[in-house]
Amino acid sequence: MKKYEEYIKKNKLGEVYNNKSFKDITTIKIGGKIMMLYYPNSIESFVLFYKYYLLFKDYKIVIIGNGSNILANSKTFNGIVVCFKKCICKYFLYKNTITINSGVLIMDVINYLKDKNLGGFEKLSYIPATIGGMIKMNASCYNVNISDNLVSLKGINEKGEVILYKKEDLVFKYRYCNIDDNFIILECVFNVYYNDKENIKKEINNIKQNRLTKYPLDKYNAGSTFKNPIGFKAWELIDKIGLRGFNINDACVSTKHSNFLINNKSSNSEDMYNLIKIIKKKVKKEFNVILEIEWIFINF
């Protein structure tokens, strides 16, 4: 691990931390110590680091965005976590397209474009996620998918090859993109459209109020826990089996929205994982429906 830290520092490729945990970098505030947390200062810096890493591949590497859909094990992660949130260059606007660093929060993009009377992402307001993670799971809200306005994306594969994909090269479905799990998205290009600043403000404010009313945003959470099965809504199934408000210690089904599992204060990964298993088992028994998880599990 030491060689990676020295390589980053010697080549001024960003910041390295050895005293962080997943509690510090995930929205649900659960997870163990991280052996090395790396914040690249640019996409180019990360590519240099990653090609160096590929010479050895002696530790597991995990890429995260805002940590908003992650449940990490409470035991120590003996590997490298990379987060793009501190990259300096975030946007490049040219005519009717914008190139966005994969570590940029969607709300930052919306506000940046709003000030230029440009839109296209308003329906996705206040999703606490970064562009790269949203593309990987094809995040959506109010019948709008993050992939709708996608033109192309660039990333790096396990061989260290930087590859450009056009949207038509990819398959997007509900909460799905066929990009390989080991392919790391570096930046994305989207179409943008004229929209008056005041119209954008009004729409994002309406969405904000709606989200505050419906979701437990004042509690530690990782967003919606389960995908909606075809023909059903996950929260309704959980309600029908009487698990709204059910808890295992500080891991709890929200009383506000039962497809949100919350960490009341000091939940660990074991309690949260067991809560998920109980919900899945009871829904399968009662309705013969298998709930699919939206979250990403790390170090399980």
Side-chain angles (χ1 to χ4, degrees):
M1 193 68 73
K2 191 70 175 176
K3 63 179 176 287
Y4 298 119
E5 185 175 346
E6 290 174 350
Y7 183 80
I8 291 166
K9 290 180 177 178
K10 178 184 176 183
N11 294 284
K12 299 180 180 179
L13 302 181
E15 301 174 17
V16 178
Y17 297 90
N18 308 115
N19 60 346
K20 299 291 185 181
S21 74
F22 280 101
K23 283 184 181 180
D24 301 318
I25 62 171
T26 60
T27 57
I28 201 167
K29 303 299 181 188
I30 292 175
K33 181 182 176 183
I34 298 166
M35 289 292 287
M36 190 179 105
L37 174 62
Y38 168 43
Y39 289 98
N41 52 26
S42 71
I43 294 298
E44 293 75 19
S45 290
F46 170 75
V47 170
L48 284 174
F49 160 78
Y50 191 60
K51 288 183 176 181
Y52 179 72
Y53 161 81
L54 289 175
L55 297 175
F56 308 96
K57 292 182 70 174
D58 46 357
Y59 292 94
K60 184 172 176 59
I61 190 167
V62 169
I63 312 296
I64 72 163
N66 196 42
S68 58
N69 67 329
I70 289 172
L71 178 64
N73 201 303
S74 293
K75 67 184 181 183
T76 296
F77 176 63
N78 187 30
I80 303 166
V81 175
V82 179
C83 180
F84 290 121
K85 284 176 68 175
K86 295 188 179 183
C87 288
I88 297 167
C89 183
K90 297 182 182 297
Y91 321 101
F92 176 69
L93 185 62
Y94 179 71
K95 293 184 178 180
N96 65 332
T97 65
I98 185 170
T99 302
I100 310 171
N101 173 326
S102 67
V104 177
L105 287 164
I106 185 64
M107 204 62 223
D108 289 348
V109 176
I110 292 166
N111 285 325
Y112 171 80
L113 291 171
K114 175 194 68 182
D115 291 337
K116 300 178 183 302
N117 293 301
L118 292 170
F121 300 95
E122 294 87 334
K123 296 289 187 184
L124 305 173
S125 294
Y126 294 100
I127 294 177
T130 55
I131 292 295
M134 291 179 74
I135 284 289
K136 279 227 171 183
M137 69 176 293
N138 195 24
S140 61
C141 203
Y142 304 108
N143 297 314
V144 171
N145 301 296
I146 185 68
S147 60
D148 289 349
N149 295 330
L150 182 70
V151 176
S152 63
L153 63 84
K154 185 168 72 175
I156 189 167
N157 65 17
E158 281 191 296
K159 296 178 182 178
E161 300 167 332
V162 175
I163 298 173
L164 177 72
Y165 286 113
K166 294 181 180 179
K167 180 181 176 179
E168 52 265 33
D169 299 328
L170 303 168
V171 176
F172 290 97
K173 299 178 184 177
Y174 170 69
R175 296 293 190 271
Y176 172 82
C177 173
N178 67 331
I179 295 172
D180 187 271
D181 286 343
N182 295 314
F183 184 81
I184 300 168
I185 298 173
L186 301 175
E187 62 182 30
C188 303
V189 180
F190 296 90
N191 286 317
V192 291
Y193 307 93
Y194 172 79
N195 194 353
D196 182 75
K197 183 189 296 186
E198 294 307 313
N199 289 338
I200 297 173
K201 282 182 181 179
K202 187 180 297 184
E203 182 156 23
I204 64 178
N205 185 60
N206 288 339
I207 290 171
K208 180 181 181 180
Q209 295 308 313
N210 186 51
R211 290 180 70 83
L212 287 170
T213 301
K214 288 174 61 176
Y215 306 130
L217 303 184
D218 58 333
K219 304 289 187 181
Y220 298 145
N221 71 83
S224 298
T225 309
F226 301 102
K227 299 177 184 178
N228 287 325
I230 296 174
F232 300 93
K233 292 183 178 178
W235 72 267
E236 289 182 339
L237 296 176
I238 297 168
D239 269 5
K240 286 177 180 178
I241 56 172
L243 289 184
R244 181 179 287 251
F246 178 78
N247 69 289
I248 301 177
N249 298 319
D250 270 352
C252 181
V253 179
S254 169
T255 56
K256 199 169 189 178
H257 192 298
S258 50
N259 196 24
F260 275 66
L261 304 189
I262 60 174
N263 171 12
N264 267 332
K265 188 175 181 182
S266 56
S267 176
N268 59 36
S269 62
E270 184 178 6
D271 288 344
M272 190 62 70
Y273 189 69
N274 286 335
L275 179 59
I276 289 168
K277 288 198 295 184
I278 287 171
I279 293 168
K280 291 186 64 163
K281 183 178 179 180
K282 286 182 176 290
V283 168
K284 175 68 167 64
K285 181 179 179 180
E286 184 70 22
F287 304 106
N288 197 31
V289 172
I290 298 174
L291 288 178
E292 289 185 55
I293 197 82
E294 278 197 28
W295 296 355
I296 296 168
F297 292 150
I298 296 178
N299 202 26
F300 279 86

